[in-house]
Amino acid sequence: MTGFDLVSRRAVALVTFCLLAGIVGCGSKSDATSATDAVTTPVVNRASGAENAALPSDDNLLQQIDDALEYTYDHRRLSVGSTSNDQAAWQIVHGALAFKREFLVSDGGRDVSAVEYILRGGKMKGLDLRRGDLLDEATKRYGIATVIAEDKMGQGHADQWLGYLSDCHLPLDEPILVEGEKHTIADYIDQAKLDVHKNTTLEFSWTLMALTAYYPTDYTWKAGDGSDWSIEKLVDIELGHNLDSSACGGSHRMTALTMAFNRHVDAGKPVTGVWKKLEERIKDCIAKAHQLQNPDGSLSSNYFARPGKSADLAVCMGSAGHVLEFLCTALDKEELQQPWVKRATLDMCKTFRKTKPVDVECGALFHAAHGLVLYREKVFGSRTFGKDSAAAMTAAKN
């Protein structure tokens, strides 16, 4: 029995929750803010002494984080297939964002690595990978293309699959089977570079995630129409967007931009020009997340826009989880141990405990889980999940 399929079997819903599995993923630009606006209530920003309230020990915090992650990994099992009880690609790829190649799905009753399943050409609802443009006439090398889905089962943003898969540490020469033909991740990346000019919404968050995972931040290239592009150009375009009207309150955008910034700094490159502007934006969003934090430690249900807390745990998990994911990308180990960040992390663990008995929406769940994974890695060190992960990876290849 999976955590996503059993809501109809439960007589009593313990929590009023979003049951959108298989229908929608993260909010689109048009509904990113309105969904929370309708249900959030303004709150007093600070309770007296809240910042100095007693916090549990580090051992206890680690235990709470691991409990949330272990339950999610072990009991929120998704399945691949074509029935109404099987999950869609957008749900499964979000799970891989949190747990990387260890994330398991059920394939005909056996647990397999979701990432390995995709790499081996496995089928799932909404996974629309196809042969792209001819990249090299001499070798007959083709790219890998995909499209924005209209049915909410597949890719919801340009390069979303590629962005999340790139965060699973796949090398450029990693083999991937598409429509029965052998490709590599490099074919996927090169197609994205060719198609960059076709992105009419100018939403490059996931493109940035992917390109900065493989190329230095001063990288330049030519798109399919001959126009000149660079990673710095993508950063500049992303900074030009209004966060409040962006998907999920701009949290996706800020997480991707912060990943690019971290890679720029880690490479020892100067923080000038667009990178200085980005540094200031990151600091501003960190300050806003702190300023808008609710007295109980939860992060605002209105992302970076204004204070507020929703009565709906689904909204709380989604908004706070996305912002926590950004914070854990932006802050270092010492900064993550500040009391206000600890309180936000503890509140997220509490939300995970409250939602154990019910089905949860995958976008909210796995972005929040990814935030906890990042916190754990930076503060306490990384860990593995699942005793049978290695066997499942092998099973996916067979």
Side-chain angles (χ1 to χ4, degrees):
M1 300 293 184
T2 70
F4 286 85
D5 300 331
L6 300 184
V7 67
S8 61
R9 299 172 183 262
R10 296 187 177 93
V12 180
L14 301 182
V15 189
T16 301
F17 217 65
C18 254
L19 303 180
L20 302 178
I23 304 175
V24 296
C26 295
S28 65
K29 286 185 177 181
S30 60
D31 64 15
T33 56
S34 60
T36 57
D37 290 347
V39 292
T40 55
T41 303
V43 295
V44 177
N45 190 48
R46 285 285 176 269
S48 178
E51 286 284 349
N52 298 318
L55 291 168
S57 66
D58 285 349
D59 286 344
N60 182 269
L61 174 57
L62 176 59
Q63 182 179 350
Q64 291 191 46
I65 292 172
D66 279 350
D67 177 69
L69 294 176
E70 287 167 5
Y71 185 89
T72 301
Y73 184 89
D74 292 333
H75 298 284
R76 300 295 190 183
R77 183 74 76 243
L78 308 185
S79 63
V80 294
S82 58
T83 75
S84 59
N85 290 325
D86 296 311
Q87 280 72 45
W90 75 260
Q91 299 166 297
I92 292 169
V93 177
H94 274 82
L97 171 67
F99 296 106
K100 313 307 179 199
R101 294 179 89 140
E102 290 184 313
F103 182 64
L104 304 181
V105 291
S106 177
D107 175 25
R110 65 173 186 169
D111 287 340
V112 301
S113 162
V115 173
E116 296 295 338
Y117 180 85
I118 292 171
L119 293 175
R120 305 307 162 188
K123 303 296 183 183
M124 62 181 70
K125 294 182 291 186
L127 185 67
D128 186 24
L129 299 181
R130 58 184 71 173
R131 187 169 79 168
D133 295 333
L134 180 63
L135 301 175
D136 189 316
E137 177 67 39
T139 62
K140 299 300 180 184
R141 175 177 167 242
Y142 285 85
I144 300 173
T146 191
V147 297
I148 302 297
E150 296 182 357
D151 59 4
K152 300 294 186 179
M153 287 191 177
Q155 180 170 262
H157 308 271
D159 297 325
Q160 187 177 25
W161 292 168
L162 182 58
Y164 288 161
L165 287 174
S166 72
D167 202 49
C168 294
H169 315 298
L170 306 178
L172 284 174
D173 61 356
E174 179 77 51
I176 177 171
L177 198 65
V178 176
E179 296 182 324
E181 297 182 355
K182 292 182 179 179
H183 290 268
T184 65
I185 293 298
D187 300 337
Y188 205 172
I189 286 283
D190 286 346
Q191 185 69 53
K193 291 187 294 183
L194 281 180
D195 291 343
V196 68
H197 67 289
K198 298 179 181 179
N199 188 338
T200 56
T201 63
L202 299 179
E203 185 181 34
F204 294 111
S205 302
W206 291 267
T207 312
L208 263 178
M209 285 181 66
L211 293 186
T212 58
Y214 299 105
Y215 299 107
T217 53
D218 55 3
Y219 182 73
T220 64
W221 72 96
K222 286 189 178 295
D225 65 348
S227 57
D228 293 320
W229 286 79
S230 68
I231 286 176
E232 286 196 1
K233 181 176 180 178
L234 298 185
V235 171
D236 195 40
I237 292 172
E238 284 289 283
L239 285 173
H241 286 281
N242 182 290
L243 292 183
D244 296 344
S245 60
S246 300
C248 297
S251 55
H252 287 299
R253 180 156 278 134
M254 287 310 305
T255 297
L257 282 167
T258 303
M259 291 173 69
F261 180 80
N262 291 345
R263 289 162 178 168
H264 181 82
V265 173
D266 289 346
K269 298 185 182 298
V271 181
T272 57
V274 70
W275 298 103
K276 184 62 178 178
K277 182 180 178 182
L278 173 53
E279 181 183 44
E280 293 169 355
R281 177 71 61 83
I282 293 170
K283 289 179 178 178
D284 181 62
C285 286
I286 294 171
K288 284 182 177 177
H290 186 192
Q291 177 187 1
L292 302 178
Q293 185 176 27
N294 296 315
D296 64 358
S298 62
L299 298 168
S300 174
S301 294
N302 293 313
Y303 299 92
F304 306 109
R306 57 195 171 279
K309 181 167 183 176
S310 173
D312 187 339
L313 275 178
V315 174
C316 291
M317 176 175 273
S319 54
H322 278 80
V323 175
L324 182 65
E325 182 182 41
F326 157 70
L327 290 173
C328 292
T329 304
L331 301 176
D332 61 24
K333 178 178 180 178
E334 182 178 351
E335 292 166 331
L336 287 173
Q337 295 178 86
Q338 296 174 94
W340 76 273
V341 185
K342 279 189 174 182
R343 292 174 63 237
T345 306
L346 287 162
D347 183 79
M348 182 53 61
C349 292
K350 181 179 179 181
T351 301
F352 270 82
R353 289 195 297 275
K354 286 183 176 180
T355 54
K356 279 185 178 181
V358 296
D359 289 355
V360 291
E361 188 268 327
C362 292
L365 174 71
F366 290 123
H367 278 291
H370 188 217
L372 291 181
V373 167
L374 291 173
Y375 190 99
R376 193 199 196 284
E377 287 179 349
K378 284 189 176 181
V379 176
F380 300 110
S382 60
R383 58 157 293 177
T384 58
F385 293 91
K387 298 177 181 178
D388 302 321
S389 293
M393 289 183 189
T394 301
K397 298 177 182 180
N398 298 328

